[in-house]
Amino acid sequence: MHSISRIPKDDSTPATPGAAPKVGFVSLGCPKALVDSEQILTQLRAEGYETAKSYDGADLVIVNTCGFIDAAVQESLDAIGEALAENGKVIVTGCLGAKKDAAGDDIITKVHPKVLAVTGPHALGEVMNSVHTHLPKPHEPFIDLLPPQGIKLTPKHYAYLKISEGCNHRCSFCIIPSMRGDLVSRPIAELMLEAENLFKSGVKELLVISQDTSAYGVDVKFRSGFWNGRPVKTHMTQLTEALGELAKSYGAWVRLHYVYPYPHVDQIIPLMSGGHILPYLDVPLQHAHPEVLKRMKRPASGEKNLDRIQAWRKMNPDLTIRSTFIAGFPGETEAEFEYLLDFLKEAQIDRLGCFAYSPVEGATANELENQVPDEVREERRGRVMLLQEEISKQRLKAKVGKTVRVLIDEVTRSGGVGRSAADAPEIDGVVYVKPPYEPHKKLAVGQFVDVTITASDAHDLWGEAQ
């Protein structure tokens, strides 16, 4: 999460006459929301606005919200309240902006009636119109100050590439389509140009994100675009292949997130042998029992998912699979939950997150019968995580003695902290790296190093740089 630092107000310091107007920015939520924030910041910079580092230094504040679950809604409302208290001029955007309460009223303005404007997600034009209304843009924008890759909120060495907006699924626990709409795939030439600009700027890891990466191009019937003078289909396989070729020319990584286990994903696995499309799939499975998946209205059955995972691992034994699951979904029996545990024991998911089911206002799952009591949901979530801790511990222990490629994220007094191909930033584990013995060799952020693994636990690895 990117947020404004909390610095006490100092009303005695007037704004510099003729200075560019400054906008503060608070970005909450998932990587897809982060990309929305980057697009807004890029446009602000293109038009000559500056970014404030504190509430006091801002002429107004934009808060990009999340509204997926109750905890995220409260975090967003708290952030808006803080911005109003510290600055007073606040524009709100993001998923919570598209959410209504049970009476059909706007949640944000009901709690915070003093906000200047409210928009939904991926609403760049609306946000900028609101900014222009309340903070007129400079007369002479310094477009030459805008880097080709735009303004990024991530560290310089990795970035997110959002390939589409919206989702065509109607999962019963999710309200994302009502907030972000149906699938809209971005043109492939536009994506490739953005990726190239990011690599040119020094990005060493590109993280591909969307609501459903596997469905890329479905909405446009996989029409062909052009890149480097040749036709490329608007399809996950062709996009991944093109990104892999581009990443190779810059010595960089590409990591795939939100990959639904459709049959054509089988075509992606062979592309992971070249070292640039990482052998890593973030697959949002959510459950394993067919009846629970049916109530969830998920687009796949648990039995096929297990077969597919086993087939993928035969094609690439180094494949890391990350997934998320929900425990205590309405109607989940103890037998169905035990089925999930058996699935996890057999599937041996490398990286796993589990959430106790949380009702989301507007989701059809709220109307299902046999709601599971809160304490049972939490108890089942705990059992999943206890099992996963042992699975993860054993899978990481098998890496001791091996040498892995690591991208350094942070340099410390004792060496550095980085991530292997098995570790996405902020959600997976890390590798603690002891520097080489040679005194003239030092680790650097954004550097790739080969690391021999010497120790492990249930989450992280330790090793020595070669």
Side-chain angles (χ1 to χ4, degrees):
M1 180 182 74
H2 178 76
S3 62
I4 295 174
S5 58
R6 292 172 179 165
I7 301 177
K9 284 179 173 290
D10 182 4
D11 295 330
S12 63
T13 305
T16 304
K22 293 186 177 182
V23 178
F25 211 100
V26 179
S27 184
L28 305 173
C30 65
K32 292 176 285 295
L34 186 73
V35 173
D36 288 350
S37 296
E38 291 173 341
Q39 291 171 349
I40 295 169
L41 286 168
T42 296
Q43 187 63 32
L44 287 167
R45 180 71 177 273
E47 294 186 9
Y49 293 94
E50 292 184 5
T51 304
K53 302 301 182 184
S54 70
Y55 288 115
D56 292 347
D59 295 300
L60 66 76
V61 176
I62 299 174
V63 181
N64 190 3
T65 59
C66 179
F68 185 53
I69 59 175
D70 291 344
V73 170
Q74 191 57 53
E75 181 184 27
S76 293
L77 291 173
D78 290 345
I80 295 167
E82 179 181 293
L84 283 169
E86 296 292 334
N87 183 277
K89 297 180 68 176
V90 179
I91 291 171
V92 180
T93 187
C95 288
L96 187 57
K99 196 171 182 181
K100 308 293 182 183
D101 63 16
D105 297 324
D106 181 80
I107 291 177
I108 293 172
T109 54
K110 195 170 184 178
V111 178
H112 297 298
K114 293 184 179 180
V115 296
L116 300 176
V118 177
T119 77
H122 55 89
L124 174 61
E126 295 174 60
V127 172
M128 293 309 301
N129 286 340
S130 298
V131 172
H132 297 156
T133 298
H134 299 283
L135 187 64
K137 63 181 179 180
H139 295 297
E140 297 179 1
F142 298 96
I143 295 178
D144 57 311
L145 297 180
L146 180 66
Q149 73 275 12
I151 306 301
K152 295 296 171 185
L153 297 175
T154 49
K156 184 180 179 181
H157 63 289
Y158 70 82
Y160 294 100
L161 180 70
K162 183 161 60 171
I163 65 173
S164 64
E165 287 287 358
C167 182
N168 286 344
H169 303 305
R170 295 297 182 265
C171 301
S172 61
F173 57 83
C174 181
I175 59 171
I176 292 296
S178 67
M179 294 188 288
R180 289 187 171 264
D182 289 335
L183 176 72
V184 179
S185 300
R186 294 178 60 194
I188 197 160
E190 179 182 302
L191 290 175
M192 294 304 298
L193 178 60
E194 182 175 339
E196 184 173 41
N197 284 334
L198 287 168
F199 287 137
K200 284 180 178 178
S201 75
V203 165
K204 292 299 180 183
E205 180 180 1
L206 195 64
L207 299 104
V208 176
I209 59 170
S210 66
Q211 294 298 143
D212 181 358
T213 295
S214 303
Y216 175 66
V218 167
D219 56 313
V220 294
K221 299 180 180 179
F222 308 119
R223 69 184 173 210
S224 292
F226 288 88
W227 173 248
N228 279 347
R230 62 184 176 89
V232 183
K233 282 189 176 181
T234 307
H235 188 282
M236 179 193 183
T237 305
Q238 281 74 18
L239 173 64
T240 303
E241 188 173 16
L243 287 174
E245 292 175 5
L246 186 61
K248 182 178 181 180
S249 63
Y250 288 92
W253 284 352
V254 175
R255 189 183 300 274
L256 302 175
H257 285 275
Y258 309 105
V259 178
Y260 279 71
Y262 303 146
H264 67 261
V265 177
D266 296 355
Q267 303 166 18
I268 301 297
I269 308 302
L271 302 177
M272 296 176 171
S273 60
H276 298 286
I277 300 297
L278 294 180
Y280 178 103
L281 286 178
D282 175 8
V283 186
L285 296 173
Q286 307 300 359
H287 211 278
H289 196 283
E291 289 303 314
V292 179
L293 291 168
K294 185 177 179 180
R295 293 196 295 275
M296 288 180 169
K297 296 186 178 179
R298 298 294 285 174
S301 76
E303 184 178 355
K304 290 181 180 178
N305 287 341
L306 184 57
D307 290 345
R308 185 146 284 126
I309 288 170
Q310 292 172 341
W312 290 342
R313 285 201 169 124
K314 284 183 181 179
M315 285 188 273
N316 191 323
D318 294 328
L319 179 66
T320 294
I321 296 176
R322 147 161 278 284
S323 191
T324 52
F325 292 84
I326 298 174
F329 189 77
E332 182 188 63
T333 64
E334 180 63 25
E336 289 170 342
F337 176 71
E338 291 285 350
Y339 186 101
L340 170 60
L341 295 181
D342 290 341
F343 170 87
L344 295 178
K345 291 173 186 175
E346 193 164 358
Q348 293 285 296
I349 303 294
D350 299 89
R351 300 294 195 185
L352 183 147
C354 183
F355 303 91
Y357 171 72
S358 175
V360 177
E361 193 168 330
T364 58
N366 300 341
E367 302 168 9
L368 294 174
E369 296 180 352
N370 301 318
Q371 297 281 325
V372 180
D374 289 350
E375 61 273 17
V376 177
R377 298 177 204 164
E378 288 295 339
E379 185 265 344
R380 289 178 179 173
R381 186 197 69 82
R383 287 162 66 187
V384 168
M385 295 313 297
L386 192 63
L387 170 62
Q388 179 58 29
E389 184 172 0
E390 187 58 35
I391 291 172
S392 179
K393 184 184 298 183
Q394 294 304 315
R395 293 191 72 81
L396 289 179
K397 186 177 180 180
K399 296 185 179 184
V400 174
K402 296 182 178 179
T403 299
V404 299
R405 193 83 163 155
V406 172
L407 178 60
I408 300 298
D409 286 333
E410 178 186 357
V411 175
T412 65
R413 287 186 177 182
S414 58
V417 182
R419 293 174 293 103
S420 71
D423 309 305
E426 299 186 358
I427 57 174
D428 293 327
V430 297
V431 183
Y432 294 96
V433 182
K434 185 177 179 181
Y437 287 110
E438 294 88 338
H440 64 281
K441 287 188 177 181
K442 293 184 179 180
L443 299 175
V445 172
Q447 172 191 12
F448 285 109
V449 293
D450 292 323
V451 178
T452 299
I453 303 303
T454 57
S456 67
D457 64 12
H459 306 286
D460 305 316
L461 297 170
W462 284 258
E464 297 178 357
Q466 301 305 298

